[in-house]
């Protein structure tokens, strides 16, 4: 059963400007494994914008409650390239309260826009 669906878009250039304007923003939004590739290189801004959109979409799928921590949701990527979500803390608590047991995530970026869709399933 579908518990919630969320979608979000982020303008890549605007997101890049936010990261430049507020250097500490990335640390507030992302865990190190999200911000950096395994070799230590920083992910491209389009990839980060898509991950940010995923976190916004996740909040919407959960009913957009207050008090969720950005770093309590982590976007990970399998070797195949398929993205998925790992939740903990505030996000896991809200998901448990709604009966969410499985997540579906799709990310994309094209023409200056990053987007994400999240489906929460019981």
């Amino acid at each position: 059963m579908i518990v919630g669906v969320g979608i979000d878009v982020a303008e890549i250039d605007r997101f890049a400007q936010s990261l430049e304007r507020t250097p500490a923003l990335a640390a507030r939004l992302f865990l190190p494994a999200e911000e950096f590739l395994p070799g230590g290189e920083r992910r491209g801004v389009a990839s980060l914008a898509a991950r940010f959109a995923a976190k916004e979409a996740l909040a919407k799928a959960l009913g957009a409650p207050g008090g969720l921590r950005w770093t309590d949701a982590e976007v990970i990527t399998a070797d195949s390239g398929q993205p998925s979500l790992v939740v903990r803390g505030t996000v896991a608590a809200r998901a448990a309260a709604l009966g969410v047991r499985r997540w579906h995530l799709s990310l994309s970026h094209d023409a200056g826009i990053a987007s994400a869709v999240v489906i929460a399933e019981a």
Side-chain angles (χ1 to χ4, degrees):
M1 177 174 88
I2 304 266
V3 174
V5 176
I7 185 170
D8 195 69
V9 298
E11 187 179 341
I12 296 169
D13 286 344
R14 185 173 172 198
F15 187 75
Q17 290 169 4
S18 295
L19 291 175
E20 287 178 26
R21 190 173 48 252
T22 311
L25 180 61
R28 288 198 316 259
L29 296 175
F30 305 112
L31 293 167
E34 292 177 297
E35 188 178 357
F36 298 97
L37 296 166
E41 181 181 345
R42 188 171 191 197
R43 289 187 191 275
V45 70
S47 177
L48 291 175
R51 283 166 164 69
F52 175 70
K55 293 179 184 216
E56 287 277 354
L58 170 65
K60 291 172 183 177
L62 293 175
L68 298 180
R69 291 187 46 183
W70 293 109
T71 53
D72 283 349
E74 180 180 8
V75 177
I76 61 172
T77 306
D79 291 340
S80 66
Q82 181 179 5
S84 62
L85 290 164
V86 175
V87 300
R88 58 184 65 81
T90 58
V91 177
R94 175 65 177 174
L98 295 173
V100 177
R101 297 189 187 280
R102 188 168 178 204
W103 301 101
H104 304 275
L105 171 63
S106 181
L107 304 175
S108 186
H109 47 80
D110 188 29
I113 300 292
S115 62
V117 175
V118 172
I119 299 171
E121 182 181 351

